[in-house]
């Protein structure tokens, strides 16, 4: 008699689809939060509260009482980076443990996870360069890239695993892409506006030398173009009956109008810190809304089961 060998089932940590979705969404929130808290560091002139990096001072990794509130604020923001990194690590481990794993999910999880230390290094360079405004702007844009990757990761967790198929004509997909790229350009120019303004992050930090009024006008022109393109998306999507894409475009326009209102008020009220912080949060929301509008131009459908070729070739049973 042949001996039957027992096979032990592999033991793995069960990761449900809902848990993975929640972790991915938490990663988006955490990365948006660190942008806002990073803005708080700059707006309270605490950018050099810890005057060196990776240590807080030459002799200590943590803040000291002599450094006062500025040291606490800057060191607190550094600690928050570890919290964001822990969430990104949890997402990565959940993706690795997930079975079946949706296609394309692992590269996105790795990108978000590696983006956190990369962002921290750029933040360290800003400190070591005495808050150089161009490096500070790069630090903000790096955060935007991580947020974009985190959004793509989250969307991939809520979609079926079938191939992506367009839901609108190619011309409108191109329009949505152009709108998103213009939104990215507005964010870049926004960092130039910030680098020319009064909120340097420290009393001794330099400015980028651009004329604040002139570069603010360039930024405003970009915002008008972005809103115009977004309104065009609303009418175009509605004209072809793409309900989901229309809703996403309407949300985008609403977020842009709110962000534009904050921008104009803060400009004419000489950039109060609270409104600048709200504007930074609005920048994250505009990015997310633009990505949502872009994603609405395609969808994934569930994978259809492949028919068994053996069963497909078997003759049908004869009638009785």
């Amino acid at each position: 008699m042949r001996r039957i060998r027992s096979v032990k089932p592999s033991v793995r940590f069960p990761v449900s689809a809902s848990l993975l979705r929640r972790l991915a969404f938490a990663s988006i929130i955490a990365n948006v939060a660190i942008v806002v808290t990073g803005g708080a560091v700059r707006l309270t002139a605490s950018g050099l509260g810890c005057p060196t990096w990776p240590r807080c001072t030459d002799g200590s990794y943590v803040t000291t009482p002599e450094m006062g509130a500025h040291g606490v604020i800057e060191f607190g923001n550094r600690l928050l980076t570890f919290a964001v990194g822990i969430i990104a690590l949890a997402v990565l481990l959940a993706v690795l443990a997930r079975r079946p794993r949706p296609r394309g999910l692992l590269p996105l999880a790795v990108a978000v996870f590696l983006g956190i230390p990369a962002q921290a290094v750029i933040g360290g360079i800003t400190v070591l360069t005495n808050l150089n405004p161009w490096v500070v702007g790069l630090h903000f844009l790096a955060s935007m890239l991580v947020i974009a990757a985190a959004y793509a990761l989250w969307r991939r967790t809520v979609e079926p695993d079938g191939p992506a198929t367009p839901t609108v004509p190619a011309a409108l997909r191109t329009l949505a892409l152009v709108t998103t790229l213009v939104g990215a350009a507005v964010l870049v120019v926004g960092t130039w506006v910030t680098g020319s303004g009064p909120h340097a992050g420290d009393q001794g930090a330099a400015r980028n030398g651009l004329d604040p009024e002139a570069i603010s006008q360039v930024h405003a022109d970009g915002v008008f173009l972005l809103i115009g393109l977004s309104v065009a998306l609303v009418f175009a999507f509605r004209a072809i009956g793409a309900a989901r894409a229309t809703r996403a475009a309407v949300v985008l326009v609403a977020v842009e109008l709110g962000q534009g209102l904050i921008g104009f008020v803060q400009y004419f009220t000489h950039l109060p810190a609270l409104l600048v912080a709200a504007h930074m949060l609005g920048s994250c929301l505009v990015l997310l809304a633009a990505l949502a509008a872009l994603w609405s131009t395609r969808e994934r459908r569930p994978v259809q089961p492949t028919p068994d070729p053996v069963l497909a070739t078997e003759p049908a049973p004869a009638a009785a």
Side-chain angles (χ1 to χ4, degrees):
M1 178 181 293
R2 213 168 46 167
R3 187 175 179 181
I4 300 176
R5 207 170 36 173
S6 63
V7 179
K8 294 182 179 179
S10 59
V11 179
R12 60 180 175 83
F13 180 76
V15 175
S16 66
S18 61
L19 174 61
L20 185 55
R21 285 196 296 269
R22 292 190 184 101
L23 286 173
F25 191 72
S27 183
I28 297 175
I29 294 175
N31 280 285
V32 171
I34 202 168
V35 169
V36 177
T37 59
V41 171
R42 180 165 54 83
L43 295 170
T44 57
S46 302
L48 294 178
C50 288
T52 189
W53 187 88
R55 297 188 179 193
C56 191
T57 67
D58 289 333
S60 174
Y61 281 98
V62 300
T63 185
T64 61
E66 293 79 14
M67 300 170 68
H70 291 320
V72 172
I73 293 172
E74 163 65 6
F75 183 70
N77 190 62
R78 293 187 183 188
L79 286 180
L80 186 58
T81 301
F82 288 98
V84 177
I86 290 172
I87 295 174
L89 177 60
V91 173
L92 178 57
L93 294 177
V95 169
L96 289 171
R98 176 69 181 155
R99 296 292 186 277
R101 183 188 305 152
R103 290 179 298 177
L105 203 58
L106 184 57
L108 290 171
V110 171
V112 173
F113 177 68
L114 294 181
I116 306 303
Q119 183 191 27
V121 170
I122 298 173
I125 295 173
T126 66
V127 173
L128 297 177
T129 57
N130 195 31
L131 304 183
N132 181 290
W134 299 106
V135 183
V136 172
L138 179 62
H139 187 45
F140 173 79
L141 295 175
S143 297
M144 295 295 104
L145 288 176
V146 175
I147 290 173
Y151 178 82
L153 172 66
W154 173 72
R155 286 301 298 255
R156 195 66 195 86
T157 64
V158 300
E159 294 175 328
D161 206 25
T165 57
T167 57
V168 299
L172 295 188
R173 296 200 303 275
T174 301
L175 179 60
L177 177 59
V178 170
T179 302
T180 304
L181 293 176
V182 170
V186 168
L187 290 177
V188 173
V189 178
T191 66
W192 301 348
V193 176
T194 300
S196 69
H199 296 295
D202 184 80
Q203 299 298 331
R207 301 285 74 202
N208 59 23
L210 298 176
D211 179 66
E213 185 173 349
I215 197 62
S216 295
Q217 184 60 56
V218 173
H219 183 57
D221 292 341
V223 171
F224 285 130
L225 175 60
L226 177 60
I227 293 176
L229 290 171
S230 303
V231 171
L233 280 179
V234 172
F235 285 103
F237 288 156
R238 181 173 294 175
I240 63 171
R244 186 169 68 96
T246 301
R247 288 193 298 269
V250 168
V251 171
L252 175 59
V253 171
V255 173
E256 289 168 351
L257 290 176
Q259 174 75 336
L261 177 62
I262 294 173
F264 278 109
V265 172
Q266 73 170 3
Y267 179 79
F268 289 110
T269 55
H270 307 291
L271 303 176
L274 186 60
L275 284 182
V276 174
H279 200 55
M280 293 186 70
L281 173 61
S283 298
C284 299
L285 297 180
V286 168
L287 173 64
L288 292 171
L291 291 173
L294 182 61
W295 248 262
S296 71
T297 63
R298 30 77 79 201
E299 67 178 0
R300 290 183 184 271
R301 295 170 183 170
V303 177
Q304 298 298 325
T306 304
D308 191 325
V310 176
L311 295 177
T313 56
E314 284 184 355

